[in-house]
Every structure is written in C-alpha cells, then in structure tokens.
C-alpha cells in the first residue's frame, strides 16, 4: 500500500514525485519553444516581416499540440491495455531525443527550408510523446493515492508548472550571462540541449517505478479496445472534460508561451525584465496550485475551479489593459495572474480523472487533455498574435481568455453529475 488513511507513505511519495519529475522535464521541453519563439523564428523561419516570422514560429509551436491527440490515443491505448509504467518510460525517452535534436537543427541560412522542415518534424515527435506523458502521470498518481487525489494531482501539476519556471529561468540566465550578440544564435540551442539531457536523467530514474496498484489489481479485466469503449460509454464526460479544461488551456497557452514574445515584441518591454516577471508569476502559480490541491481535500475541487475561471473571466481585460498602459508593476501583474490561475490549474486535473473509471481512465484523460489543450492552449499564441495583427489592438488576447473561461464555467456546472469515479470513492479505499 502507498497510502495510509489520509496520508501517503514514503514509497508513495517516491512514486508521485518521480511521476511529477517527468512531467516537469517534459513540459520544460515543450514550453521552451514558446519562450524562445522569437529567436527560433529568426534562425529557422526568417521572413521580411518580423511579425510574419514570429507567426511561423508560433505555427510550429501549435503543430506540436496537433500531434498530441494522436499521441494520446496511441499511448493511452497501451497504457489502459497493458499498463502505465512502459508508457511512462518510453514517452520521456523519445521526447528527450527530439528535444536534443531541436537544439542541434542547423540555421535556415545553412540548409535552407530543410531546417524549417526538420524543426517541424521534431516538434511533431515532441507533441506525440507529450500526448501520453501528462495524462499518464495524472492517472498514475490518482491510482496510487486515491484518498488524497486532489493533493497529489496538485503536486503533479505544480511540478509541471515549475518546469515552465525552469524554462523561463534558463532563458533569463542565458540573456543575463551570455553576450547579447550570441543569444539569438546559441541561447535557445543551449536550452533545448539541457532539456534533452534532463529527460534522459528522468528516464533513468523512472525505471524504478512499479505498476499502478489500481491497474495491477484489475489487469485481467483491462479493456481490449479502450478508445472505442470510451466513446461508446463515456462520450458526454469527454465533452464536459473539454469544456472544463478550456480556461486552464487558454491561460497556459497565453501566459506560459505567448507572453514573453508578446511583452518584448509587441509591447516593447525589456526582454530580460519580461522573462524575470513571467518567471516570478509562474512560480506564484505553482505555489497556488499546491495550495489549491491541499484545499481540494477539504473543499470540493469544482468550487475552486469555478472561482478560478470566474476571476480569469472578470479580470482578463484589466490585465491586458494594465500591460499596455504600464499602469501597474509588471512582476506584480504576473504574480496576481499566476495566483488566480492556480485555482484552475490546481483543481482541473482531479476533476478530469474523476470523470472516468479505471478501465478507460488513461484513455479518457489523454483524449480530453490533449484535445482541449490543442484547441485552447496550443493555438493560443498563434491566434493571439493574429488577432493583434488583424484588429490592431494589443489587448485583443483578452477576448480569448474571457471566452475560454466562460466555457470552463459551464463545464464546472456539469462535472458533478458525471463524475464520482475517484472523489466519491476516497473514503472506501
């Protein structure tokens, strides 16, 4: 047993933290592209108009998200049919190789369009692998410690968010300690190489993980066609889950990936100050996620998510208006945004796992997570940049955040009717 009463044992913590570590490193690998989008655009996707170049870079960022649903379906099939452990190991290994390769792609000036095609291909591989990574981590920890499911889900996504902080921290370090003239050429490459090597370390550490206890108990009853069974028996929860994740997905796409390029490229903030402020905001969000997970063991998580998306809905316009007018300290703005999002990012994961039974949980979580994040997060930088260009208003990304938060609010009102596969069973585990 990994859980005792309402506490998790040392062995259980090891499992949860190793699962979370993989999520941290893989999200670092995935988000680092957005953090260095402008530098990558100049090196691999050059164009006469800098905004067009940036749009091409963000389009490649979005391509990785488009591969996630496919990766989620394929990898979760094996996870639900044969076990969670093998998916954990190989997803992080292959993604690490892709990340390392991205750091070594030659410039457009050296090999022409082949550089762009190679970067897109490696980005697709990244997205395919991430499609099974985070859903697998959430499924794994819920089945390891079901009695404190809200908290362990908060730990996983708190660590994932710290992966974003590490990515922005690496960006800040590169821009601080490297010769400014060398940053566009080599800074982003260093970040990708570090991410690839970190992923290899995670693969080595994860080899000690055992199978999820809940899956091990029902292995003989595992579904032979989990994806087909999911769509036949749990289609409505899939739709509700996608609505539920709309606010989280849009915020993460805008705040984690779009914000650095937006602040420096559109609003003309100092790039170093922009990255520093974002890093502090991401750390604040991670802390908010952990606190929300802890509170979620005492207050129904759907109420916490509802409060979070309501804050995003009400204050999105004010946030972007303050960024444009510089009416408030940038770091304080990022901290407040991060704390508000901590309510949604710290509660959505357990609500998502709660929608599906063990037989199809990995598949259900993977499908919803990847479809929702592809629609609301992966396309967010591209759509936001395009909106700014087409409307001429630098505050137009606020419309995206408000619409996505409204959808999540609707999902939170429906989730209780179709959940109950984890949260209502905690007392009997």
């Amino acid at each position: 047993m990994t859980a005792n009463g309402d506490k998790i044992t040392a062995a259980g913590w090891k499992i949860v933290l190793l699962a979370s570590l993989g999520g941290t490193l893989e999200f670092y690998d995935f988000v680092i592209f957005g953090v260095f989008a402008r530098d990558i655009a100049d090196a691999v996707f050059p164009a006469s108009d800098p905004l067009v170049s940036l749009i091409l870079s963000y389009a490649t960022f979005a391509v990785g998200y488009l591969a996630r649903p496919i990766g989620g379906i394929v990898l979760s099939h094996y996870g639900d049919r044969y076990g969670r452990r093998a998916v954990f190991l190989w997803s992080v290994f292959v993604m690490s190789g892709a990340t390392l390769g991205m750091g070594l792609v030659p410039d457009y000036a050296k090999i022409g369009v082949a550089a762009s095609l190679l970067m897109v291909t490696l980005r697709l591989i990244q997205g395919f692998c991430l499609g099974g990574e985070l859903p697998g981590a959430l499924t794994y920890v819920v089945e390891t410690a079901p009695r404190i499911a809200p908290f362990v889900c908060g730990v996983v996504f708190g660590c994932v968010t710290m992966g974003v902080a590490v990515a922005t921290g690496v960006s800040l370090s590169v821009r601080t300690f490297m010769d400014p003239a060398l940053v566009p050429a080599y800074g982003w490459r260093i970040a990708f190489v570090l991410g690839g090597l970190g992923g290899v370390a995670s693969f080595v550490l994860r080899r000690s993980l055992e199978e999820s206890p809940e899956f091990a108990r029902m292995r003989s009853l595992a579904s032979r066609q989990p994806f087909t069974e999911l769509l036949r028996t749990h289609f409505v929860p899939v739709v509700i889950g996608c609505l539920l994740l709309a606010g989280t997905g849009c915020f993460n796409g805008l705040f984690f990936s779009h914000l650095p390029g937006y602040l420096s490229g559109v609003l003309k903030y100092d790039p170093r100050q922009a990255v520093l402020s974002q890093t502090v905001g991401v750390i604040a969000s991670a802390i908010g996620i952990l606190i929300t997970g802890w509170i979620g063991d005492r207050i129904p998580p759907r109420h916490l998510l509802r409060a979070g998306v309501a804050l995003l809905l009400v204050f999105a316009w004010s946030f972007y208006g303050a960024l444009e007018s510089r009416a408030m300290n940038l770091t304080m703005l990022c901290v407040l945004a991060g704390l508000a999002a901590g309510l949604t990012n710290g509660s959505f994961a357990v609500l998502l796992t709660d929608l599906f039974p063990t037989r199809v949980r990995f598949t259900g979580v993977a499908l919803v997570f990847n479809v929702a994040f592809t629609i609301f997060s992966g396309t967010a930088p591209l759509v936001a940049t395009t909106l700014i260009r087409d409307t001429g208003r630098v505050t137009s990304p606020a419309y995206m955040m408000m619409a996505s938060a409204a959808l999540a609010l609707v999902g939170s009102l429906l989730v209780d009717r179709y959940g109950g596969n984890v949260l209502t069973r905690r007392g009997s585990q």
Side-chain angles (χ1 to χ4, degrees):
M1 291 291 290
T2 54
N4 180 21
D6 289 331
K7 297 182 179 180
I8 189 169
T9 65
W13 271 119
K14 178 183 177 182
I15 291 171
V16 171
L17 291 176
L18 281 179
S20 302
L21 173 63
T24 302
L25 292 170
E26 292 216 14
F27 220 65
Y28 165 93
D29 290 349
F30 208 70
V31 170
I32 200 71
F33 194 106
V35 173
F36 284 95
R38 176 162 292 280
D39 296 329
I40 296 171
D42 293 338
V44 185
F45 305 100
S48 56
D49 184 343
L51 189 60
V52 172
S53 178
L54 187 60
I55 287 175
L56 290 173
S57 184
Y58 281 140
T60 304
F61 176 83
V63 161
Y65 274 87
L66 295 176
R68 284 175 59 162
I70 300 172
I73 291 170
V74 173
L75 296 174
S76 63
H77 170 84
Y78 288 99
D80 271 332
R81 186 169 181 182
Y82 301 110
R84 317 324 193 187
R85 180 179 180 274
V87 173
F88 259 168
L89 287 174
W90 291 108
S91 64
V92 72
F93 182 77
V94 175
M95 184 171 178
S96 299
T99 302
L100 189 61
M102 291 171 77
L104 303 176
V105 170
D107 288 349
Y108 185 95
K110 293 182 178 179
I111 62 173
V113 71
S116 304
L117 293 175
L118 186 55
M119 184 65 79
V120 171
T121 300
L122 292 171
R123 183 65 175 169
L124 283 168
I125 295 173
Q126 268 195 329
F128 183 92
C129 293
L130 191 62
E133 168 58 32
L134 289 177
L138 294 172
T139 300
Y140 195 93
V141 298
V142 162
E143 294 175 355
T144 297
R147 295 194 182 195
I148 52 173
F151 183 58
V152 293
C153 282
V155 170
V156 169
F157 219 76
C159 289
V160 166
T161 302
M162 284 305 298
V164 181
V166 173
T168 56
V170 168
S171 173
L172 180 63
S173 299
V174 164
R175 298 181 193 281
T176 300
F177 298 111
M178 281 190 72
D179 183 335
L182 298 178
V183 171
Y186 299 106
W188 64 275
R189 296 184 182 279
I190 292 172
F192 276 106
V193 170
L194 288 175
L197 295 177
V200 172
S202 176
F203 170 77
V204 173
L205 291 172
R206 279 185 172 193
R207 294 177 66 185
S208 65
L209 286 176
E210 298 178 355
E211 189 52 79
S212 134
E214 191 170 330
F215 180 85
R217 285 195 297 269
M218 56 77 66
R219 183 188 294 271
S220 61
L221 302 175
S223 174
R224 295 184 61 83
Q225 297 293 333
F227 182 70
T228 302
E229 181 178 332
L230 173 74
L231 294 184
R232 187 179 68 250
T233 61
H234 291 83
F235 181 76
V236 173
V238 166
V239 175
I240 292 172
C242 289
L243 292 174
L244 195 70
L245 268 63
T248 297
C250 185
F251 177 87
N252 289 356
L254 291 174
F255 193 76
F256 295 164
S257 300
H258 181 251
L259 193 63
Y262 171 74
L263 290 175
S264 60
V266 178
L267 298 183
K268 306 304 179 184
Y269 279 87
D270 174 67
R272 187 170 174 272
Q273 179 60 50
V275 172
L276 175 61
S277 297
Q278 185 203 28
T279 302
V280 175
V282 169
I283 294 172
S285 184
I287 294 171
I289 289 169
L290 291 175
I291 293 173
T292 299
W294 179 78
I295 295 174
D297 281 325
R298 296 152 180 83
I299 298 174
R302 66 182 183 278
H303 296 325
L304 300 175
L305 185 136
R306 222 168 274 166
V309 294
L311 288 174
L312 295 178
L313 175 63
V314 172
F315 291 108
W317 186 259
S318 299
F319 173 77
Y320 277 96
L323 288 179
E324 180 190 21
S325 65
R326 289 170 165 76
M328 189 173 181
N329 177 270
L330 180 60
T331 301
M332 181 57 66
L333 269 174
C334 290
V335 167
L336 291 175
L339 289 175
L343 286 167
T344 61
N345 285 353
S347 56
F348 86 89
V350 71
L351 292 171
L352 177 57
T353 61
D354 190 49
L355 288 170
F356 306 104
T358 305
R359 275 176 64 88
V360 294
R361 180 172 296 134
F362 196 158
T363 300
V365 171
L367 180 63
V368 171
F369 190 92
N370 290 306
V371 168
F373 268 68
T374 296
I375 295 172
F376 298 106
S377 190
T379 62
L382 176 61
V383 173
T385 305
T386 304
L387 276 174
I388 292 169
R389 183 193 65 181
D390 292 347
T391 65
R393 303 188 67 171
V394 297
T395 55
S396 56
Y399 295 127
M400 296 172 55
M401 187 66 260
M402 294 166 69
S404 299
L407 291 175
L409 196 57
V410 172
S412 72
L413 298 174
L414 299 172
V415 69
D416 194 41
R417 184 185 307 175
Y418 293 92
N421 292 286
V422 174
L423 294 174
T424 60
R425 295 168 52 230
R426 285 183 294 163
S428 61
Q429 295 296 319

